[in-house]
Every structure is written in C-alpha cells, then in structure tokens.
C-alpha cells in the first residue's frame, strides 16, 4: 500500500466515524446511509455506490427494523445461485465495474458494495479495497449498535408513555387509537389491523374488523385461542404477517394483525416490544371494558330501581302500561314497544303501546308470540327474524325481544320490544328487559286485581250493569262538565207475575237478558245501571232529548223480542241542559213521573217528561 492509499484510508475512517454521531431524528437510519455514501463520494470521487446487505446477517447483527428505503441500499436473501445471477445483472445493467465483498471480523460475508470507478479516477490496490471493506464493516457495526441503543430507549420511552395513557383512559376507542398511533410511529411501513372478539366498534373509523371464528386453523384464531403470538411468511406475495394477542388478566379480547413487506427486517427485541404493547393494550381494553360494564350495570340498576319505585305508585292498569312502554322505548332505543294482555276470547293491546301493535300486520306476530310462550313458557330473543324459524313472518322488524307477564304461574300477557336493525339488542339488554318485566308482573297483577275489585264494587253481580251509586256519581260529574244529558228509567211490566209463574231463577234470567240488550244498545259513553229490583236505568251524557226518546222506543221494541219468557218494559225519559240545570235527584224524579205515566197509560211504552 502506498502513501496515497494510506491517506485515503485514514481520511475515509476519519470522516465516516466523525459523522457517525447519534442523530436526533426519526429517520436517523436513513441519515447514516446518506453519510457513508457522501464520504465515499468525497474521498474517492466515486459517484455510483450501492450497498447490498444480507437479511439474515442484518437480523443477527443489528436486530433492528430498517424503516426507510434508501436508493443506495438493498437487502437481499442469501441464495447464492439466485443472488450471483442477480448481482451480475446489476453490474451489467447499471454500469458498476467493481464489486467488493463486505465481511465480518470472522471473515463472513454480510453483503457487497458496488462501485462505478471511472478510468481516470482513483483505482486502488487489492490491499486498499480489503481495508476499505473492513472500514465499511466497522462503520455498519458501530451504526447498528447506535441504532440498537437509540431504538431501545425510544421504544421503552414510548411504551412508558403509552402505558401511562392507556391505564388512565376509560374510553375504549381512545385506547385502541393510541395503540395504533404508537405502533405506526415506530413502524411506519407496517399495516395494522385490530381483529376484535366483540362488535362494539361497528361505527369506529379505526382499522377494526370482527375476529372470524369460523377459521379455526387460521393464525389469528390460533393466536386468540393460545394467547401466543404467531409470525407467518407468504412466499408468494413476499409478505410477512404477525399476530399478537390483546390479552388482559381475565381473557383475550382480540388480535393485533400486522402486515409487513419481507424486505423490512424485524428483530426479537421488536417482537418483544410489540408483544408487550399488545398485552398492555389488552389490559387497558379490559379495564375500559370493565368500567363500561360497571357503568351499564349502574345505569341498569338505576333504571330497575326507578321503575320499581314508580310501579308502586301507579294504581291504574292503563297508566302502568303507558309508563312501562315509554321506559322500554327510551331505554332500549326501540322502534316499537307494546304490552299485550291475553284474554279467553280476545287479546287486548294496552293503551300506550306504539302504533304498530294496532295494525292488522301485527296479528301474525302476536299469534307467534302466544304460541311460543305457550310452548316454551319462556321469553323470546331473536337477533334476526329472517335467520330464525320465524323467517316466514312478513314484518318490518329484525330484532325482537319478548318477555311474559305472569300472575302466579299463569302467563297473562307479554311485553314486546322491536327494532328494524338485525342484532340490535344485546343479550344484556334482554336480561334487563327480563328483570324489568319480572318487577312489573306483580304490579300488573295488582292493577288487574284492583280493577277487578273496583269493577265488583261498582257493578251489579247479576246483570253486570253498574250500580246505582256509580251511576249517581257519574251523573254528578257530567252535570259539572257537560252541557246536557238524558236519563232513562226502565221498569219490567208485570215482573212479579213472571217470578210467580216461571220462578225467580227465570226472573233473574230475564233481568240478565234485558241488561244485555241495554249494553248492546248504548254506545261507549252511555252508562247502564241496575236501579233497584226490576228497575234499570241509563244515562247518556251530552245527548239530546230526541236521542234519549229514540233509544227508549228502541228498547221498548227490542226487549219483547229478545227476552224469554217474553216480557215488555215501560220507560220514562228526562232531560237537562245548561239552560235548565237539574240535580241527579230531580232528573230521576222527572223520569220516575214519566215512567208512572207510561204504566198508567197501558204499559209497554216510553214517555218523556220535559
């Protein structure tokens, strides 16, 4: 070696290692390559330079992920036959005229440097290029050590920051976003996807997809089931796939899926770092999940407590139904909710139920519900009607929840909640519905019994018409709020003769028959009552005298036809309005006078007392 070569080697060594300080930037590995290329160009006046580094040596020596592609650096596989042909082609096609093997201290080739040395530039002896290769090796070795130290500090500094943020967050979406941002910061050339075991993130903008449980032998499922990370290389696409479990103390919540180009090397330290970060994310997800669960539980308990308190203060069945339907619709964000009471002769949709339950389209759904409850004696929870045995139902709803209302052990009705979107209600929601219905069942039973008792108090036990006291009370209310009203007093002609001839049992039968005629003849706002003995009465609020006289004539004509044994009736009619206000007693007295006149005029007729 001559003095010129010695000077050049010293200059190369000096400038390379002087500039191999630790750069404080994210692309420091890019700058180190840039530095060595610049030094060689300046010292040796060589413009075309390219390094080829074997991947396996890089993995062993550097244990570092090179994130940035550099125009003067390529990573190659150690396949001698293929690489020799590949390298020869590069020399021929790119104008390189010198190839130098780069060796380790153990004389193992870890790569090559290609140069294009012009004729009139520095050529160098074999000894010079051997020393040049050693300098290059020492430079790369030192650079790799710097990169290892820098990235170790950077990874764990980031890990500490991420850990602090994750464990202080109760927002699941924020937790996952932070994990992905941190990974992307360290590994910008990787593609990350979170494959989660829950469907709580349907509307998230993050790269999240549902874990496919049907692919039992897939690496993702193996990772999820075993809790161990998996790495898989695809030789066809030349890509690597990595799977890390998102594991907490109580379970595994999904898999972190990473896709990487094979030319990007990953070390054991990087694998360990990602694994720890994934586990930290799993723990944070678990904490956030448990917090959300506790929030939902507290919310559900508050709802149940409030419902229970309210139920104890509601006495009427209609008010109870309105309250329950309103709470269910708001709490579950349902499209429709309703309460159906099962009767022997018909099904009653309680007031307060939403509009769909009053449509003819709902009849088929109600029949299915009744049949299901009768068969299974359990509630009904359908995520998607179209995927169930009830797919033949032509209804505009996919998600259905039904819970029976029980009195003792008998099913007396059902609470129904509907939504158009499939799988809208979770099983936790259904459990909440069950709890609310169980608390409501006693209130429904009490309300029904209370109304039955009230009905017994205000209803005549034989005719099922109202009692005289109830009629008096309703007449007083009407005279306070209405503008007019009609009172009819009806007496069965010769009723004593009927009892004497046919017996009191048949006499009672006649009373029931006449009561049925009255109930069929008056409209929903009319009130029929048993006044006493064989006398019956009707009050028509807000009706004219003409309407009252018409009804009286109708009863006089119908009762002889519809009674067995055949009887006739006499009827007295009285009337009041705001121009001529009366008391209930005066109204009765005037009707009684008209009835007396009808009796004395030959019976079987109706007379009005104006």
């Amino acid at each position: 070696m001559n003095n010129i070569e010695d000077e050049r080697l010293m200059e190369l060594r000096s400038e390379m290692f002087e500039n191999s300080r630790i750069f404080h930037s994210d692309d420091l590995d890019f700058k180190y390559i840039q530095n060595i290329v610049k030094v060689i160009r300046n010292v040796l006046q060589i413009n075309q330079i390219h390094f080829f580094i074997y991947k396996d040596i890089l993995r062993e020596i550097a244990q570092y992920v090179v994130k940035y592609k550099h125009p003067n650096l390529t990573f190659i596989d150690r396949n001698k036959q293929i690489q020799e042909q590949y390298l020869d082609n590069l020399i021929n096609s790119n104008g390189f005229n010198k190839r130098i093997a780069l060796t380790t201290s153990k004389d193992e080739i870890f790569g090559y440097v290609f140069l294009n040395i012009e004729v009139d530039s520095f050529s160098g002896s074999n000894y010079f290029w051997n020393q040049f290769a050693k300098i290059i090796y020492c430079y790369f070795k030192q650079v790799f050590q710097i990169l290892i130290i820098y990235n170790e500090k950077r990874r764990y500094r980031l890990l500490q920051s991420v850990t602090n943020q994750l464990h202080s967050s109760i927002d699941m979406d924020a937790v996952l976003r932070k994990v992905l941002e941190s990974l992307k910061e360290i590994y910008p050339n990787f593609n990350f996807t979170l494959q989660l075991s829950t469907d709580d993130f349907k509307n998230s903008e993050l790269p999240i997809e549902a874990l496919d449980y049907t692919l039992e032998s897939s690496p993702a499922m193996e990772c999820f089931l075993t809790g161990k990370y998996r790495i898989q290389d695809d030789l066809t696409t030349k890509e690597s796939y990595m799977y890390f479990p998102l594991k907490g103390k109580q379970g595994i919540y999904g898999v972190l899926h990473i896709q990487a180009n094979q030319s990007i090397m990953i070390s054991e330290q990087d694998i360990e770092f990602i694994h720890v970060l994934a586990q930290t994310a799993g723990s944070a997800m678990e904490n956030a999940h448990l917090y959300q669960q506790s929030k939902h539980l507290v919310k559900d308990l508050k709802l149940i407590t409030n419902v229970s308190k309210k139920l104890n203060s509601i006495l009427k069945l209609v008010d109870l139904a309105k309250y329950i339907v309103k709470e269910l619709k708001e709490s579950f964000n349902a499209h429709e909710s309703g309460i159906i009471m099962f009767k022997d002769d018909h099904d009653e949709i309680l007031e307060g139920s939403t509009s769909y339950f009053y449509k003819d389209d709902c009849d088929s759904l109600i029949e299915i519900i009744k049949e299901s409850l009768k068969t299974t004696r359990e509630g009904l929870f359908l995520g998607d009607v179209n995927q169930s045995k009830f797919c033949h139902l032509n209804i505009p709803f996919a998600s259905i929840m039904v819970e029976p209302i029980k009195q003792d052990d008998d099913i007396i009705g059902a609470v129904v909640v509907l939504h158009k979107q499939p799988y809208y209600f979770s099983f936790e929601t259904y459990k909440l519905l069950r709890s609310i219905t169980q608390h409501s069942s006693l209130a429904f039973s009490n309300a029904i019994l209370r109304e039955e008792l009230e009905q017994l108090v205000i209803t005549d036990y034989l005719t099922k018409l109202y009692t005289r006291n109830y009629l008096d009370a309703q007449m007083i209310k009407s005279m306070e709020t209405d503008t007019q009203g009609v009172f009819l007093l009806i007496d069965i002609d010769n009723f004593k003769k009927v009892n004497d001839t046919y017996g009191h049992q048949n006499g009672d039968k006649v009373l029931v028959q006449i009561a049925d005629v009255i109930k069929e003849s008056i409209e929903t706002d009319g009130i029929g009552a048993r006044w006493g003995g064989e006398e019956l009465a009707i009050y028509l609020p807000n009706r004219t005298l003409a309407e009252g006289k018409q009804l009286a004539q109708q009863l006089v004509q119908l009762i002889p036809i519809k009674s067995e044994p055949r009887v006739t009736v006499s009827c007295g009619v009285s009337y009041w309005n705001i121009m001529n206000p009366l008391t209930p007693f005066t109204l009765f007295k005037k009707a009684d006078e008209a009835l007396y006149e009808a009796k004395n005029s030959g019976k079987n007729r109706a007379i009005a007392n104006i």
Side-chain angles (χ1 to χ4, degrees), residues 400-586:
I400 296 179
M401 295 191 297
V402 179
E403 190 60 21
I405 300 172
K406 293 183 179 180
Q407 188 176 50
D408 295 328
D409 198 38
D410 297 327
I411 295 177
I412 60 173
V415 177
V416 184
V417 184
L418 307 171
H419 199 282
K420 295 178 180 179
Q421 182 178 322
Y423 303 103
Y424 184 80
F425 304 121
S426 67
F427 191 70
E428 293 299 319
T429 307
Y430 173 62
K431 284 162 62 177
L432 179 58
L433 172 66
R434 176 179 290 180
S435 181
I436 292 174
T437 306
Q438 287 173 350
H439 282 77
S440 305
S441 288
L442 181 60
F444 274 109
S445 297
N446 290 338
I448 292 169
L449 291 173
R450 190 181 296 111
E451 292 191 2
E452 288 176 352
L453 181 59
E454 289 175 352
Q455 195 69 19
L456 287 174
V457 172
I458 65 174
T459 305
D460 176 63
Y461 78 97
L462 177 64
T463 62
K464 305 307 178 191
L465 294 172
Y466 289 108
T467 62
R468 179 172 176 171
N469 288 339
Y470 179 78
L471 182 60
D472 281 341
Q474 296 304 310
M475 288 169 65
I476 292 171
K477 287 182 182 179
S478 174
M479 289 176 174
E480 291 174 350
T481 58
D482 299 332
T483 59
Q484 60 184 347
V486 182
F487 182 78
L488 285 69
L489 188 61
I490 305 159
D491 185 76
I492 303 173
D493 297 330
N494 305 314
F495 190 63
K496 183 177 182 303
K497 185 178 179 180
V498 172
N499 283 330
D500 293 341
T501 304
Y502 299 101
H504 287 280
Q505 187 174 0
N506 282 311
D508 290 345
K509 183 180 176 183
V510 169
L511 278 170
V512 173
Q513 290 171 351
I514 294 173
D516 290 341
V517 173
I518 290 173
K519 285 183 279 189
E520 290 174 3
S521 300
I522 61 176
E523 297 182 8
T524 54
D525 57 348
I527 304 168
R530 186 174 182 184
W531 196 255
E534 69 270 19
E535 284 188 332
L536 308 171
I538 298 173
Y539 180 71
L540 302 173
N542 272 328
R543 297 299 180 87
T544 64
L545 176 62
E547 290 175 308
K549 289 167 66 175
Q550 182 181 357
L551 176 59
Q553 290 292 343
Q554 181 181 330
L555 292 174
V556 169
Q557 294 172 6
L558 283 175
I559 287 172
I561 300 172
K562 296 197 173 185
S563 57
E564 179 61 41
R566 182 179 180 276
V567 296
T568 62
V569 295
S570 297
C571 186
V573 182
S574 59
Y575 170 76
W576 74 273
N577 60 32
I578 55 173
M579 302 300 295
N580 182 29
L582 301 174
T583 64
F585 176 76
T586 306

Side-chain angles (χ1 to χ4, degrees), residues 64-211:
Y64 168 69
V65 176
V66 178
K67 301 185 293 296
Y68 299 92
K69 293 182 179 179
H70 194 283
N72 299 92
L73 175 66
T74 302
F75 296 105
I76 57 176
D77 292 311
R78 190 182 289 274
N79 185 315
K80 189 172 183 180
Q81 182 176 356
I82 295 176
Q83 290 306 330
E84 286 296 329
Q85 184 179 354
Y86 172 70
L87 296 175
D88 289 340
N89 289 337
L90 277 176
I91 290 177
N92 297 330
S93 60
N94 292 281
F96 293 111
N97 53 24
K98 190 169 187 64
R99 180 174 73 175
I100 301 169
L102 302 175
T103 59
T104 69
S105 57
K106 297 180 181 180
D107 292 330
E108 295 177 347
I109 296 177
F110 74 92
Y112 296 90
V113 57
F114 280 24
L115 306 172
N116 183 22
I117 302 174
E118 297 180 4
V119 177
D120 56 348
S121 65
F122 178 78
S123 57
S125 65
N126 289 337
Y127 179 81
F128 172 86
W129 292 117
N130 287 335
Q131 293 301 312
F132 171 81
K134 289 181 180 180
I135 293 172
I136 298 296
Y137 166 71
C138 290
Y139 178 82
F140 273 109
K141 183 178 178 181
Q142 181 169 318
V143 166
F144 290 151
Q145 288 173 345
I146 293 171
L147 293 178
I148 291 170
I149 294 171
Y150 174 83
N151 281 278
E152 280 296 303
K153 290 182 178 179
R154 184 170 177 234
R155 278 197 298 258
Y156 285 100
R157 186 171 59 248
L158 181 62
L159 183 60
Q160 183 178 9
S161 170
V162 170
T163 301
N164 291 338
Q165 290 188 47
L166 294 188
H167 286 296
S168 64
S169 175
I170 53 175
D171 184 341
M172 199 94 77
D173 198 77
V175 166
L176 298 179
R177 186 181 302 278
K178 182 61 182 177
V179 169
L180 292 174
E181 287 175 353
S182 302
L183 288 168
K184 203 67 179 176
E185 181 181 343
I186 297 288
Y187 312 110
N189 289 331
F190 289 179
N191 294 318
F192 301 95
T193 305
L194 293 166
Q195 298 178 342
L196 302 182
S197 57
T198 64
D199 59 353
D200 299 334
F201 300 88
K202 292 178 181 176
N203 300 321
S204 176
E205 297 177 354
L206 300 175
I208 295 175
E209 59 187 37
L211 190 64

Side-chain angles (χ1 to χ4, degrees), residues 259-287:
Q259 180 181 350
N261 188 289
Q262 273 189 328
S263 64
I264 300 173
M265 308 304 299
I266 187 164
S267 68
E268 291 296 326
Q269 284 87 344
D270 288 292
I271 291 173
E272 180 63 21
F273 171 74
I274 297 172
H275 186 53
V276 170
L277 185 59
Q279 285 193 314
T280 305
S283 297
M285 285 181 64
E286 184 171 78
N287 292 339

